[in-house]
Amino acid sequence: MNFPFYIAQRYIKSKSSQNAVNIINFITFLVIVIGSAALFIVLSGFAGLKTFSLSFSNSIDPDLKAQTASGKFFSISADQERDLAKINGLVSYAKELEERVYLTHNQKSSIAYIKGLDHNYNRVTGIDSTLYFGQWATDQQQGVVGIGIANLLGLTVNNYRSPLVVLAPKPGKGPLSTKPYNEIPLVVSGVYAIEENLDKKYVFTDLSLVQALLEKDSTQVSGLNFRLEPSADVPQIRNEITAVLGNEIVLRNRQEQNSALYKMLNTENVVTYLVFTLVLIIALFNVVGAIIMMILDKQQNSKTLFSLGTTVRELRRIYFVQGILVTGLGGLIGVVLGALLIGSQLAFGWFKITPSLAYPVEFNLMNVLLVFTTILILGFIASMIASSRVNKKLVA
């Protein structure tokens, strides 16, 4: 057995004759355990919140989305549609037409976006799974609105006597004497609920109806949504879609469609990690103090070892290894305790946001490695600082 390691682990197991030293060592070990457990729990909580937050947008976002690089609308020909259908790994695609409109109902009004969907849209995205009540029907001048819009305008389902009125400016130029906008009545067939901002943003209805409202022909759309096979070669499919649609079209995956949301969540995760790491750095000053106290407590032992031929470098290594063992063992126990708490939350959902919704957490092996690596690095630095106090003057 390595000599410094043997002495270091003996020092850890043995109690000091000074009760104060034992208390300091115990508190130091406890701080490391609590700090590493807290860091792991917080990172797991943020990972769960990230997945939970992205689940809202993932229900309406496709695997890939094609939009024009400039302007709002573009045309897709029948030949292009046939070429898209031939691409391997592409399950289906759906067309959409989106524009900002003015909504009015019973002397109440709001600004929102109307999105016309073709019959494939529900197969490309999981938008119909967001239905809160009513039916998902977008044909025969019916539409689905967000619960925020429904509450704001006082909308009810299947109200044929008082439908929602959608107004959109007419494109192009014309005399002021003519009506400058197009309007359509829309019967609300259902109400969806995703999250607050999206619930106030969209009205979904049939693609052809929106094309007529905006005076667009049947080939004009604002976007194409693609669903891919799970094992599909995404870069290859992107190249094939670009070859069909041309370089004027921009393709975005889910992360690129929600780049601001991803950046915000990643930034929050990094800031939280840095804040808790700073707390650990402060806590690990206890390690420095505990090792120095141990050096002073074992000063006579160190003199004896030095007299027997142990070098100052080896004596430093004894206390350095002791610090690494304390921080490593404390970090390991803390991560295990944190993992048990996260596992119990996943299994039983004992901590809840609402009576029916458990706080979302996620067990991630990367977080285990990150916490343990952080503890070891900080323990290495603390042990180096403390063990450097051993010198010839101390043991002579």
Side-chain angles (χ1 to χ4, degrees):
M1 182 181 290
N2 184 274
F3 174 70
F5 177 81
Y6 175 76
I7 300 298
Q9 57 94 15
R10 288 291 299 270
Y11 281 175
I12 292 174
K13 292 178 182 178
S14 62
K15 286 188 176 182
S16 171
S17 58
Q18 301 292 328
N19 195 42
V21 176
N22 294 327
I23 294 173
I24 291 172
N25 289 338
F26 176 75
I27 292 174
T28 300
F29 186 75
L30 191 63
V31 165
I32 296 170
V33 171
I34 294 173
S36 56
L39 179 57
F40 178 76
I41 290 169
V42 169
L43 291 177
S44 299
F46 263 88
L49 281 175
K50 180 179 180 180
T51 302
F52 183 70
S53 300
L54 293 176
S55 66
F56 293 122
S57 60
N58 288 345
S59 61
I60 64 171
D61 292 329
D63 296 330
L64 287 176
K65 186 166 189 172
Q67 292 176 306
T68 180
S70 59
K72 293 183 179 180
F73 313 109
F74 63 96
S75 296
I76 176 170
S77 65
D79 290 338
Q80 288 176 317
E81 291 196 51
R82 282 193 292 270
D83 291 337
L84 289 175
K86 297 176 183 177
I87 296 177
N88 291 326
L90 184 61
V91 176
S92 184
Y93 69 92
K95 295 180 283 185
E96 67 175 43
L97 183 61
E98 179 181 325
E99 183 58 291
R100 199 174 188 186
V101 294
Y102 181 80
L103 307 177
T104 180
H105 177 259
N106 287 347
Q107 298 182 344
K108 298 176 182 179
S109 60
S110 178
I111 301 294
Y113 286 84
I114 191 167
K115 182 177 282 194
L117 315 174
D118 70 4
H119 62 280
N120 279 335
Y121 200 87
N122 288 354
R123 284 181 282 183
V124 174
T125 68
I127 187 65
D128 53 341
S129 66
T130 65
L131 189 67
Y132 190 60
F133 61 86
Q135 294 181 332
W136 191 276
T138 56
D139 55 350
Q140 299 177 353
Q141 288 198 301
Q142 297 182 95
V144 180
V145 303
I147 193 169
I149 295 175
N151 292 335
L152 183 64
L153 301 181
L155 297 170
T156 56
V157 174
N158 297 328
N159 189 348
Y160 289 87
R161 291 188 176 183
S162 180
L164 171 67
V165 179
V166 182
L167 296 87
K170 286 184 177 180
K173 300 178 181 179
L176 293 176
S177 58
T178 61
K179 189 167 66 172
Y181 58 85
N182 295 322
E183 66 177 270
I184 55 169
L186 206 61
V187 176
V188 177
S189 65
V191 175
Y192 71 86
I194 304 173
E195 62 93 20
E196 185 178 1
N197 292 328
L198 292 175
D199 293 345
K200 296 178 180 178
K201 185 174 182 179
Y202 286 117
V203 175
F204 297 104
T205 187
D206 186 62
L207 175 63
S208 59
L209 188 63
V210 178
Q211 287 172 333
L213 175 68
L214 302 179
E215 297 184 7
K216 305 295 181 183
D217 61 50
S218 60
T219 65
Q220 289 185 291
V221 295
S222 62
L224 289 174
N225 303 276
F226 300 95
R227 181 184 175 187
L228 311 181
E229 293 178 355
S231 59
D233 185 350
V234 178
Q236 177 64 26
I237 291 177
R238 292 184 74 145
N239 291 335
E240 293 183 32
I241 293 174
T242 302
V244 173
L245 299 179
N247 294 324
E248 296 80 13
I249 301 302
V250 177
L251 281 172
R252 296 183 176 92
N253 58 26
R254 278 202 176 107
Q255 184 171 345
E256 292 166 339
Q257 293 169 51
N258 299 282
S259 58
L261 177 60
Y262 274 87
K263 286 179 182 177
M264 181 191 71
L265 292 172
N266 290 334
T267 301
E268 287 179 349
N269 199 28
V270 170
V271 169
T272 303
Y273 168 74
L274 292 177
V275 169
F276 269 80
T277 300
L278 179 60
V279 173
L280 279 176
I281 291 173
I282 297 171
L284 283 170
F285 277 113
N286 289 328
V287 175
V288 177
I291 294 174
I292 291 175
M293 289 291 291
M294 182 64 72
I295 291 171
L296 295 175
D297 184 60
K298 301 294 184 181
Q299 186 175 6
Q300 292 301 320
N301 293 2
S302 298
K303 288 182 177 181
T304 301
L305 291 172
F306 183 72
S307 300
L308 293 172
T310 305
T311 63
V312 172
R313 184 178 180 183
E314 287 177 321
L315 290 174
R316 287 177 179 171
R317 192 173 298 170
I318 289 171
Y319 296 105
F320 170 77
V321 172
Q322 182 184 353
I324 293 294
L325 289 175
V326 169
T327 53
L329 184 60
L332 180 62
I333 293 175
V335 170
V336 170
L337 290 177
L340 290 174
L341 286 172
I342 295 301
S344 67
Q345 174 67 9
L346 289 171
F348 306 110
W350 49 271
F351 184 71
K352 295 182 181 295
I353 300 175
T354 67
S356 59
L357 179 62
Y359 192 94
V361 294
E362 189 174 298
F363 185 87
N364 194 330
L365 185 60
M366 186 58 66
N367 287 337
V368 174
L369 297 175
L370 180 61
V371 172
F372 198 65
T373 302
T374 301
I375 290 292
L376 286 179
I377 291 174
L378 295 178
F380 178 88
I381 296 171
S383 301
M384 284 286 290
I385 294 172
S387 62
S388 65
R389 297 296 298 271
V390 178
N391 50 46
K392 279 190 176 181
K393 184 179 179 180
L394 185 72
V395 297

